[in-house]
Amino acid sequence: MSKLTLYGIWLSGPTYKAGLALSLMGQPFAYKHVDLRSGAHKQPEYLAINRFGQVPALVDGDLKLCQSGSILLHLADKFGKMGGKTAEERARVREWLFWEFDKLAPNVYRPRAIKRGFLKADDNVYQLYAGLAGDALKVLDASLAKSAFLVGNEATVADVAVYGDVSYAGEAAIDLAPYPNVTAWMERIEKLPGFKKYEEVLPKQDAA
Ligand SMILES: N[C@@H](CCC(=O)N[C@@H](CS)C(=O)NCC(=O)O)C(=O)O
């Protein structure tokens, strides 16, 4: 089996989701640093890997895949891990992934980008996104009051995707204290074998 290669940048939440899933599945991978600041993601060599010119991308043999959600589903299928145990669980995993993509990821990542200075925007824009993140966190907190993980009784890639958003809440200046079920669930995720923080999963340069 050829080694997987993950393309990304260490500051990227979606890249972290892919790297974290690989780590939780116990799969080694090569890593290619894509320097977004110099525009490497818009150069022809990289566009041949990801036509949308974004990170992350995963190269698995002849397959070049982008969008963290599709990468997570591919890894779950390929390794038969973290994808849900039954057809219903697999459907629920996809449901959470689409919800996360719609309601959570942009509303955490954009305020984070504003706070970190990657995105220039007025405070009312920040407040709009942070408010929408709060709405999503309420929904998440209510779900996690009823179960230890999002789907079934084990962590799935749905948990990885959602963790990959909420773990940046601090950088986005979004307080998680009002969501105790979310913070308790984060602690459960952080105890899983293979769990790593983003700084430990994503190197700042290429890695074999
Ligand atoms: N929905 C995508 C989002 C990917 C994304 O926004 N990547 C950012 C870095 S975190 C990027 O490549 N930005 C550069 C650009 O969009 O031109 C995913 O989950 O993979």
Side-chain angles (χ1 to χ4, degrees), residues 28-203:
F29 58 97
Y31 181 77
K32 294 276 185 203
H33 172 72
V34 182
D35 187 358
L36 264 52
R37 280 173 276 204
S38 69
H41 55 311
K42 304 296 181 195
Q43 298 307 311
E45 311 85 75
Y46 186 70
L47 291 173
I49 293 164
N50 179 350
R51 63 198 183 286
F52 302 124
Q54 289 186 305
V55 293
L58 182 81
V59 176
D60 179 4
D62 291 336
L63 179 67
K64 299 177 180 72
L65 200 57
C66 61
Q67 287 294 339
S68 57
S70 67
I71 293 172
L72 294 181
L73 289 171
H74 173 69
L75 295 174
D77 276 355
K78 181 180 175 85
F79 298 114
K81 291 182 180 175
M82 304 189 80
K85 291 193 207 119
T86 62
E88 183 179 342
E89 284 189 10
R90 287 189 286 279
R92 292 278 170 234
V93 166
R94 291 194 296 276
E95 188 177 55
W96 272 110
L97 286 174
F98 282 102
W99 176 84
E100 171 270 333
F101 185 83
D102 177 25
K103 294 288 187 187
L104 193 58
N107 298 323
V108 175
Y109 289 156
R110 287 184 188 144
R112 175 193 179 225
I114 293 169
K115 287 291 170 195
R116 291 208 56 154
F118 306 144
L119 195 63
K120 300 273 171 268
D122 294 340
D123 189 56
N124 59 348
V125 177
Y126 171 84
Q127 295 301 341
L128 171 68
Y129 283 124
L132 291 169
D135 294 344
L137 285 163
K138 266 186 222 136
V139 171
L140 184 62
D141 200 63
S143 289
L144 289 168
K146 292 182 239 144
S147 62
F149 295 103
L150 293 177
V151 180
N153 52 14
E154 286 177 11
T156 65
V157 289
D159 296 276
V160 175
V162 172
Y163 183 87
D165 301 323
V166 293
S167 56
Y168 292 92
E171 291 186 29
I174 294 169
D175 182 13
L176 292 181
Y179 315 105
N181 300 310
V182 173
T183 52
W185 163 85
M186 290 176 79
E187 287 171 19
R188 285 193 287 283
I189 300 287
E190 287 159 12
K191 288 193 184 112
L192 294 173
F195 174 83
K196 291 180 182 169
K197 297 270 184 199
Y198 78 81
E199 303 89 331
E200 301 163 320
V201 177
L202 304 177

